[in-house]
Amino acid sequence: PPLRWVDAPARRLLLVAADTTMSIRGAMARLFETPEMKLMSAQLGELASSVTSLLPWGLPLALTAGWCIYPALTTPFKQRMGLEKPPPTGQDFQYEKEGVGELPELAAGSVKD
């Protein structure tokens, strides 16, 4: 009765879709009633309770990890992630190296703040 305004082919399509939905729901209900899924659900609940008990430690652990990891990140990575500003543009630095084992010296360019 509520589908009188819908033409016959569309009504059949709606009925097939409803039947499919009901069969999917039935299959999912049967799947979740299996012993394996009940065991997995219990294990997931146990894991969730363990994780929630550790939540107060999240911020201190994240800050400690950041404190330890930040110095190990490369400068280009920090610049890509927006953690450091890139050097000023428009300056061309050229270095010369005299021999093996010597530190390079600035040959052209200057550093401005």
Side-chain angles (χ1 to χ4, degrees), residues 31-47:
L31 176 66
F32 283 109
E33 290 175 358
T34 60
E36 293 87 7
M37 290 301 289
K38 288 181 180 179
L39 177 64
M40 190 181 303
S41 176
Q43 289 173 341
L44 186 60
E46 183 67 28
L47 178 66

Side-chain angles (χ1 to χ4, degrees), residues 9-68:
R11 192 175 320 141
R12 273 181 275 174
L13 183 62
L14 286 172
L15 291 174
V16 167
D19 185 44
T20 304
T21 303
M22 293 303 287
S23 64
I24 290 173
R25 286 183 184 161
M28 292 299 286
R30 286 191 302 276
L31 176 66
F32 283 109
E33 290 175 358
T34 60
E36 293 87 7
M37 290 301 289
K38 288 181 180 179
L39 177 64
M40 190 181 303
S41 176
Q43 289 173 341
L44 186 60
E46 183 67 28
L47 178 66
S49 67
S50 297
V51 168
T52 55
S53 68
L54 295 175
L55 282 178
W57 288 98
L59 182 62
L61 289 175
L63 291 174
T64 303
W67 184 270
C68 294

Side-chain angles (χ1 to χ4, degrees), residues 61-80:
L61 289 175
L63 291 174
T64 303
W67 184 270
C68 294
I69 292 172
Y70 185 79
L73 300 176
T74 62
T75 302
F77 179 79
K78 290 177 190 176
Q79 290 171 355
R80 279 194 311 263

